[in-house]
Amino acid sequence: MSPEAAAPIAEIGARPEEKAWDDPGVETPDPLWRRRLLIEALTLVAAPAPAQVAWLEMHGVGADEIALDFEHAFLLAERLAEEGLIHHGALPGLRVIDVVFDEMTSDKTADRWTVEALFQDAVWSRARGLAQWILAGEGISSSEV
């Protein structure tokens, strides 16, 4: 992982001149913090099922939190690309992951938000592969996942 992505959150301050997209009274975090948020969300999506389950257990949440974390970070992607903090080539893959998670939510025929699905569902494997590909494009090795 790059030093910028690995920087401790405490060392990254908010810039007062940057405002949230929807609330003019809220400051947005530093660009490197926003990049780290996206990379961490992608790393979780890219992780093998046992690592994802360990994360879920550690945080006491369900499998849908993986997608929700990604969704929050995904909202930052376009701006991060504009700022040169992620490659523009990552955007199409990020959009596909977002669509995959949206389709998983819409599909009422399968329970894709279970621990079992993390291990068995081909859609989770697809999201994992896309996230690994994007991380590789950002210079983050699969061995770091």
Side-chain angles (χ1 to χ4, degrees):
M1 185 177 295
S2 72
E4 295 85 17
I9 293 174
E11 294 178 16
I12 301 174
R15 293 184 182 172
E17 69 274 10
E18 293 185 29
K19 299 295 178 189
W21 303 270
D22 58 351
D23 186 347
V26 176
E27 296 175 5
T28 60
D30 181 273
L32 295 179
W33 184 91
R34 288 186 274 115
R35 180 181 189 277
R36 180 179 175 180
L37 184 70
L38 178 62
I39 296 301
E40 287 177 354
L42 274 173
T43 300
L44 180 58
V45 173
Q52 290 173 326
V53 171
W55 185 89
L56 296 174
E57 289 173 353
M58 181 174 68
H59 294 284
V61 296
D64 63 326
E65 284 298 322
I66 296 170
L68 293 171
D69 278 2
F70 172 81
E71 181 182 16
H72 295 140
F74 172 67
L75 297 173
L76 308 171
E78 191 82 37
R79 185 167 174 196
L80 288 169
E82 290 169 5
E83 294 169 334
L85 292 171
I86 63 168
H87 294 96
H88 279 278
L91 293 175
L94 291 166
R95 289 183 191 112
V96 172
I97 293 172
D98 187 53
V99 168
V100 166
F101 285 148
D102 284 346
E103 288 173 354
M104 288 171 66
T105 300
S106 300
D107 183 2
K108 303 300 180 200
T109 63
D111 192 358
R112 296 205 155 120
W113 305 111
T114 65
V115 167
E116 294 79 22
L118 294 173
F119 287 92
Q120 300 170 357
D121 196 321
V123 180
W124 275 105
S125 294
R126 181 176 181 213
R128 239 180 240 112
L130 286 164
Q132 291 167 357
W133 177 78
I134 294 165
L135 289 169
E138 293 301 312
I140 299 169
S141 161
S142 295
S143 65
E144 296 177 53
V145 174

